[in-house]
Amino acid sequence: MPSIEPAAEPAGGVLTIDCGAVAANYRQLRTQLGQARCGAVVKADAYGLGMGEIAPALAAAGCEDFFVALIEEGVKLRALLAQAKIYVFNGADGGGADALLEHGLIPALNDPGQIAAYARAAGATGTSAPAVLNIDTGMTRLGLGPGDIEALVAAPERLRGIDVGYVMTHLACASEPDHPLNRDQLSAFARARRQLKGVCDAPATLANSAAIFLGPEYHFDLARPGAALYGLVPHPGRPNPMAQVVQLQGRILQVRDVDSPMTVGYGATHRVRSKGRIATVSVGYADGYGHGLSNRGSAYIGDIRVPVVGRVSMDLITLDVSDVPMDRATPGAFVELIGEHLSLDAVADAAGTIGYEVLTRLGHRLHRVYVGGAD
């Protein structure tokens, strides 16, 4: 990510989002996939980073297949990308089926009820409606189970009026390359596709970000990366092949001298042991800097690591800047909270959570700066 000067606006924190890095990550994943198509998951407002900026950058990089969770997200995306194929993971039921057809969205059909509702809506229009058939192979979340597949094979007319573009499944443990469930699910998916032969002979989609790196047998015809696009490591504990996308900086409001027996923050959870200095920074859990980073997180001022001391509060954190030259830790200066020295995954580890949660919680109170976007 290029070095960005903090905004001159009176923001407490600055979140810089590199759309060019997202596009570069997409191109790298597409190369990794060989002949398979590469889509992009932009649900939850592009993992909190702004679908309005991220999706056009991905489209400019060549992406044609986009995935969201909710119909409402698909409608918003359609307004941005008129020609894209937009898939809705949570599928169709009741009036939702009509909205899918109206906006040209492609649902994942997750259960017999959704299949029936979508077939009725398609029948009312007299057209063939596109869809994805979702198979549960071990996630035990959304998708058709073995009994549902048997019922579909016994009554294939249930798919009348539905044009199944892909058969889909989702791995539960793709981020753990050696987990036996990966192989089990791959085998279960193959069995389900054999069962459906003659009823639904569509291409297949399985791989999320992590599964792309499990090897070609997991790639099938279309991959659905999400987290890796935004810079998260596909396989924790291994080197991250993805470019970093976000940088979070917080503004110092105040620096004060401290000494024992003073305490810092709510609950007096940090006790000052000797003379030093505490900087108060205008970012807190309302901005997505999680409470779990209390007394565990870090920041950087230049190349100097400074620890978070005391509890993270709604609007503020406190840092021990005793080892930082006084002229570098001053009111108005910025500290790095996520960036060159602190990856999203490192921050998540310190908070006891996952990088997905850190990303999606980054608040809109932060001043956002987008760089490297589509022209």
Side-chain angles (χ1 to χ4, degrees), residues 76 124 130 142 159 185 206 268 323 325 344:
K76 291 178 181 177
L142 295 176
L159 290 175
Q185 287 193 254
L206 174 149
D323 294 333
L344 279 163

mmCIF file of all heavy atoms in Angstrom, residues 76 124 130 142 159 185 206 268 323 325 344:
data_model
loop_
_atom_site.group_PDB
_atom_site.id
_atom_site.type_symbol
_atom_site.label_atom_id
_atom_site.label_comp_id
_atom_site.label_asym_id
_atom_site.label_seq_id
_atom_site.Cartn_x
_atom_site.Cartn_y
_atom_site.Cartn_z
ATOM 1 N N LYS A 76 -28.649 -2.991 -4.743
ATOM 2 C CA LYS A 76 -27.690 -1.881 -4.714
ATOM 3 C C LYS A 76 -26.552 -2.113 -5.706
ATOM 4 O O LYS A 76 -26.107 -1.188 -6.406
ATOM 5 C CB LYS A 76 -27.138 -1.693 -3.304
ATOM 6 C CG LYS A 76 -28.161 -1.170 -2.305
ATOM 7 C CD LYS A 76 -27.557 -1.057 -0.918
ATOM 8 C CE LYS A 76 -28.590 -0.560 0.092
ATOM 9 N NZ LYS A 76 -28.035 -0.499 1.473
ATOM 10 N N ALA A 124 -44.778 -17.522 -13.460
ATOM 11 C CA ALA A 124 -45.688 -16.393 -13.649
ATOM 12 C C ALA A 124 -45.190 -15.440 -14.723
ATOM 13 O O ALA A 124 -45.981 -14.725 -15.355
ATOM 14 C CB ALA A 124 -45.870 -15.642 -12.335
ATOM 15 N N PRO A 130 -32.643 -17.816 -13.996
ATOM 16 C CA PRO A 130 -31.341 -18.369 -13.610
ATOM 17 C C PRO A 130 -31.235 -18.577 -12.100
ATOM 18 O O PRO A 130 -31.804 -17.820 -11.309
ATOM 19 C CB PRO A 130 -30.356 -17.301 -14.084
ATOM 20 C CG PRO A 130 -31.131 -16.028 -14.018
ATOM 21 C CD PRO A 130 -32.546 -16.394 -14.387
ATOM 22 N N LEU A 142 -26.716 -23.530 5.198
ATOM 23 C CA LEU A 142 -27.653 -23.495 4.087
ATOM 24 C C LEU A 142 -27.343 -24.608 3.098
ATOM 25 O O LEU A 142 -26.195 -25.021 2.954
ATOM 26 C CB LEU A 142 -27.591 -22.147 3.378
ATOM 27 C CG LEU A 142 -28.038 -20.909 4.167
ATOM 28 C CD1 LEU A 142 -27.817 -19.652 3.337
ATOM 29 C CD2 LEU A 142 -29.493 -21.027 4.584
ATOM 30 N N LEU A 159 -37.841 -28.386 -10.865
ATOM 31 C CA LEU A 159 -36.919 -27.382 -11.418
ATOM 32 C C LEU A 159 -37.436 -26.768 -12.711
ATOM 33 O O LEU A 159 -36.722 -25.997 -13.349
ATOM 34 C CB LEU A 159 -35.542 -28.013 -11.670
ATOM 35 C CG LEU A 159 -34.718 -28.386 -10.429
ATOM 36 C CD1 LEU A 159 -33.437 -29.106 -10.838
ATOM 37 C CD2 LEU A 159 -34.379 -27.154 -9.594
ATOM 38 N N GLN A 185 -15.862 -33.386 2.238
ATOM 39 C CA GLN A 185 -16.831 -32.564 1.526
ATOM 40 C C GLN A 185 -16.632 -32.637 0.023
ATOM 41 O O GLN A 185 -17.610 -32.610 -0.740
ATOM 42 C CB GLN A 185 -16.749 -31.106 2.009
ATOM 43 C CG GLN A 185 -17.321 -30.893 3.402
ATOM 44 C CD GLN A 185 -17.505 -29.416 3.712
ATOM 45 O OE1 GLN A 185 -16.743 -28.845 4.483
ATOM 46 N NE2 GLN A 185 -18.514 -28.802 3.114
ATOM 47 N N LEU A 206 -17.206 -24.228 -5.856
ATOM 48 C CA LEU A 206 -16.926 -24.644 -4.476
ATOM 49 C C LEU A 206 -16.001 -23.675 -3.757
ATOM 50 O O LEU A 206 -16.226 -23.339 -2.607
ATOM 51 C CB LEU A 206 -16.318 -26.050 -4.485
ATOM 52 C CG LEU A 206 -15.822 -26.626 -3.155
ATOM 53 C CD1 LEU A 206 -15.973 -28.135 -3.136
ATOM 54 C CD2 LEU A 206 -14.363 -26.268 -2.872
ATOM 55 N N ALA A 268 -9.489 0.776 35.915
ATOM 56 C CA ALA A 268 -8.107 0.874 36.413
ATOM 57 C C ALA A 268 -7.325 -0.399 36.115
ATOM 58 O O ALA A 268 -6.576 -0.913 36.946
ATOM 59 C CB ALA A 268 -8.097 1.179 37.916
ATOM 60 N N ASP A 323 8.677 5.504 25.246
ATOM 61 C CA ASP A 323 9.906 5.255 24.494
ATOM 62 C C ASP A 323 9.970 6.022 23.174
ATOM 63 O O ASP A 323 10.908 5.844 22.395
ATOM 64 C CB ASP A 323 10.039 3.756 24.204
ATOM 65 C CG ASP A 323 10.230 2.939 25.466
ATOM 66 O OD1 ASP A 323 10.762 3.483 26.450
ATOM 67 O OD2 ASP A 323 9.846 1.747 25.463
ATOM 68 N N PRO A 325 10.371 9.532 21.055
ATOM 69 C CA PRO A 325 10.846 10.913 21.236
ATOM 70 C C PRO A 325 9.673 11.880 21.373
ATOM 71 O O PRO A 325 8.663 11.757 20.671
ATOM 72 C CB PRO A 325 11.648 11.171 19.959
ATOM 73 C CG PRO A 325 12.121 9.817 19.529
ATOM 74 C CD PRO A 325 11.010 8.885 19.894
ATOM 75 N N LEU A 344 -4.082 -6.768 9.308
ATOM 76 C CA LEU A 344 -5.419 -7.076 9.825
ATOM 77 C C LEU A 344 -5.407 -8.355 10.637
ATOM 78 O O LEU A 344 -6.040 -8.438 11.700
ATOM 79 C CB LEU A 344 -6.402 -7.228 8.661
ATOM 80 C CG LEU A 344 -6.971 -5.961 8.053
ATOM 81 C CD1 LEU A 344 -7.562 -6.254 6.686
ATOM 82 C CD2 LEU A 344 -8.049 -5.382 8.972
#
